Amino acid sequence: MNPLLQVRNLTKHFPSRYGSRNLTAVKAVSLTVNAGETVGIVGESGCGKSTLGKSIIRLFEPDEGTVLFQDKDVLSLEKRALREMRREIQMIFQDPYGSLDSRMTIGAIVEEPLVIHGIGDRATRYKKMLRLLEITGLEQDAANRYPHEFSGGQRQRICIARALALRPKMIIADEPVSALDVSIQSQILNLLVDLKEKFDLSYIFISHDLAVVEHVSDHVAVMYLGGIVETAPTKDLFTRPCHPYTEALIKAIPQPDPLRTRERIVLQGEIPDPENPPSGCAFHPRCPKVMDICKTATPEEKNIGVNETGHLIRCHLY
């Protein structure tokens, strides 16, 4: 398949609150997203998922690594070229209220990307805005109302309409349903799946909910303490998790059938302090299969799949 986005060894540091060392939020992350594909990124809160998404589109400036979008080096783009690139990659944020300007009408919010990029005249932009509201399941009279007049699910539909305005090739969805009621989550997920086909989109779908990621993703990358520990096609990952962390996450997914039980793996301790990460494998203080080598040597990435882009893992068990 044709790679749309290639991320190689992306690293992002933040200043430590102690001032003596940096906090590494994203550590040497590599991933590939092909055209028309959805790549899910999962992991516990604080593992660096959202920082990774924002670093890819330079809402955070990465410190190291390479980001290629359609073979263009995103990290070397100047201001004008970066603005043009952002027509091709849009983002849906976790908080559907905080990401909307409460002083603007919905019509103005959805039209704003078109205005910024100088697309069409006023009449053309207005027609396109109404069409986007319709596509995302909103009534046309929503255009003259304000964000506080809508529910969380409706506000997320507005955010999706805004993201679609420039007809991007890729959308980074950062926890797009985690702030919504369960009954609304399925509606938004189905909308995103439908829009993927309708607009020929690719997604990076960030979530801590593995059941959601399994539903929408073609490939899944599992993050822990800033790094990716396992990447595989969705079916392969969920039927044959290989990293002990991935296995624990999957076995923690609630079972909808009360008559079926699943053996749980209870991880001991908390996620280590990213300002003072453990030596060797970052997961070793909590790993039920820890070995002596895990405490001293950082595991290299290995392919245990059947092809070149198959099942990648960082673990000394393999």
Side-chain angles (χ1 to χ4, degrees):
M1 296 182 71
N2 183 32
L4 183 66
L5 176 75
Q6 299 176 76
V7 179
R8 295 291 177 264
N9 298 315
L10 192 69
T11 299
K12 175 60 183 174
H13 304 297
F14 290 104
S16 166
R17 62 178 180 266
Y18 302 115
S20 59
R21 56 179 179 267
N22 288 329
L23 183 156
T24 303
V26 176
K27 182 179 180 181
V29 166
S30 298
L31 60 87
T32 299
V33 182
N34 294 313
E37 186 177 57
T38 298
V39 173
I41 300 178
V42 299
E44 294 169 284
S45 296
C47 71
K49 306 184 298 297
S50 295
T51 302
L52 172 61
K54 292 174 182 177
S55 297
I56 288 173
I57 60 172
R58 289 178 60 183
L59 291 181
F60 292 146
E61 288 290 346
D63 295 295
E64 300 173 27
T66 303
V67 178
L68 298 178
F69 182 76
Q70 295 182 317
D71 296 325
K72 295 181 180 178
D73 185 355
V74 174
L75 304 188
S76 67
L77 296 178
E78 299 296 332
K79 187 174 182 179
R80 184 183 296 272
L82 180 61
R83 173 183 282 192
E84 289 300 312
M85 183 278 297
R86 284 180 173 160
R87 293 180 61 169
E88 307 290 344
I89 308 179
Q90 288 289 298
M91 193 160 189
I92 300 170
F93 296 94
Q94 178 177 358
D95 182 358
Y97 190 74
S99 59
L100 299 175
D101 190 332
S102 61
R103 300 166 297 177
M104 296 174 67
T105 64
I106 302 310
I109 288 171
V110 177
E111 277 190 61
E112 187 177 26
L114 302 173
V115 174
I116 289 172
H117 289 272
I119 297 174
D121 56 22
R122 180 177 296 181
T124 301
R125 291 194 294 265
Y126 185 76
K127 289 179 181 178
K128 187 165 187 176
M129 176 270 294
L130 293 179
R131 176 61 177 156
L132 288 167
L133 294 180
E134 180 184 349
I135 288 171
T136 51
L138 294 163
E139 299 293 334
Q140 290 191 355
D141 65 1
N144 298 317
R145 297 160 63 189
Y146 290 85
H148 72 270
E149 301 179 61
F150 295 88
S151 67
Q154 290 172 321
R155 288 196 290 263
Q156 198 60 289
R157 290 176 186 271
I158 295 164
C159 294
I160 294 170
R162 178 178 60 184
L164 290 173
L166 297 173
R167 294 298 296 264
K169 291 183 172 64
M170 171 176 286
I171 289 179
I172 299 176
D174 183 10
E175 301 268 14
V177 297
S178 65
L180 307 178
D181 293 339
V182 174
S183 59
I184 305 300
Q185 287 184 10
S186 60
Q187 297 177 21
I188 299 300
L189 289 173
N190 290 333
L191 174 63
L192 290 171
V193 171
D194 291 342
L195 292 173
K196 178 185 176 183
E197 300 299 323
K198 188 177 184 69
F199 288 88
D200 193 24
L201 292 167
S202 300
Y203 288 128
I204 292 178
F205 194 94
I206 298 169
S207 180
H208 64 272
D209 189 331
L210 271 78
V212 167
V213 169
E214 183 181 16
H215 176 65
V216 301
S217 302
D218 300 300
H219 280 73
V220 179
V222 181
M223 286 191 73
Y224 184 81
L225 205 65
I228 291 180
V229 297
E230 187 168 4
T231 307
T234 303
K235 184 177 179 180
D236 192 14
L237 187 91
F238 280 84
T239 57
R240 190 173 67 97
C242 295
H243 196 283
Y245 178 61
T246 307
E247 188 178 4
L249 289 179
I250 291 175
K251 289 193 173 182
I253 298 174
Q255 277 283 5
D257 185 350
L259 300 179
R260 296 178 62 186
T261 59
R262 177 187 281 147
E263 181 186 357
R264 296 285 298 272
I265 298 176
V266 180
L267 298 177
Q268 302 299 319
E270 300 292 333
I271 298 177
D273 184 352
E275 295 183 16
N276 186 26
S279 60
C281 173
F283 185 60
H284 87 256
R286 305 174 68 195
C287 182
K289 301 178 181 179
V290 63
M291 303 177 291
D292 288 341
I293 191 174
C294 304
K295 301 175 183 179
T296 56
T298 301
E300 297 182 357
E301 186 176 76
K302 305 177 184 69
N303 186 357
I304 58 174
V306 295
N307 56 50
E308 291 182 0
T309 60
H311 199 137
L312 305 177
I313 188 169
R314 292 181 181 272
C315 182
H316 289 299
L317 291 172
Y318 300 88

